[in-house]
Amino acid sequence: MSAQLFVVATPIGHLDDMTFRAVEVLKSVAVIAAEDTRQSIQLLRHFNIITPLTACHDHNENMVIDQLIGRLKNGENIALVSDAGTPLISDPGFKLVRAAQEHGIRVTPVPGACAAIAALSSVGLPSDRFSFEGFLPSKSSQRLLQLEKLKDETQTLIFYEAPHRILASVKDMAQVFGADRPVGFAREITKTFETIKKMTLAELVSLIERDHNQQKGEIVLVIGGAAKEVDLDQLKLDQLLTRLLEDLSVKAASQLAADLSGVKKKIAYQRALELTAEKEQDKLDRDLN
Ligand code: SAM
């Protein structure tokens, strides 16, 4: 069988979250490409893994890719790990995975811990649709711009944040998303001082201002999506759009519907697309029967 690149998730705190398969794979491969070899050596020692390590991080990824692809092509299996959690998720590895794929090398995930998913699964906010946003820009002006773009997003939003920026970021979020927007605060997941709380953004600002310990450690913020603006008026909007779509394009119908109803253009446009798709599906179903 040809060689594989294994993308191996490792614990985000509690070492017992290492999977049996991760240990097995890390023991079996020729080399482990690690974000920080000094960090990974501790994990390997804990599990008695003696496989050699090689560095593969943001600053040398381009340089080591050729070397790693060469080894894979020579039939050596390689594992990719990051310092904690799932590689590529706000961690290096994307370029290596893409290169392996381009060279026809099989890429095999070995799933495990991921802070974003652990937070989402425990903070009690809707998890049916979500958007992982990673880290926000460190400068407040850029951060505010980015948050503005996400303000009307109705999906749950997941952010990673560094402890020294947490207060500033949550304040910016309260300013842009509104003080009452629900937030899930997941700090030090699986570690001694694990904190999982749900509150409003205003309450979170006050909590982390009062208790400086809440500004320590690793943090995931899960933000409830924007409330859908149309509710009672949905039926009226649908009736209006249905009529307009008989004579107009989706763009023109949604523009006119937005003007007449006061609903946001983006929402009218989205609904017009849905109604058009439903109509087409109905027609297909009728033709098939
Ligand atoms: N690849 C990792 C994963 O799968 O979650 C994420 C790596 S990213 C460089 C590090 C960020 O993940 C931290 O700043 C924090 O936002 C989040 N994080 C990692 N471990 C965490 C933990 N135990 N509790 C809360 N957040 C954590």
Side-chain angles (χ1 to χ4, degrees), residues 12-13 35 82 84-91 113-116 135 159-162 186-191 218-220:
I12 54 169
E35 181 185 5
S82 59
T86 303
L88 280 80
I89 308 301
S90 291
D91 266 343
C114 174
F135 288 96
F159 298 93
Y160 284 164
E161 196 45 281
R187 190 176 73 88
E188 294 287 87
I189 303 169
T190 76
K191 304 187 202 175
E218 299 195 277
I219 298 162
V220 182

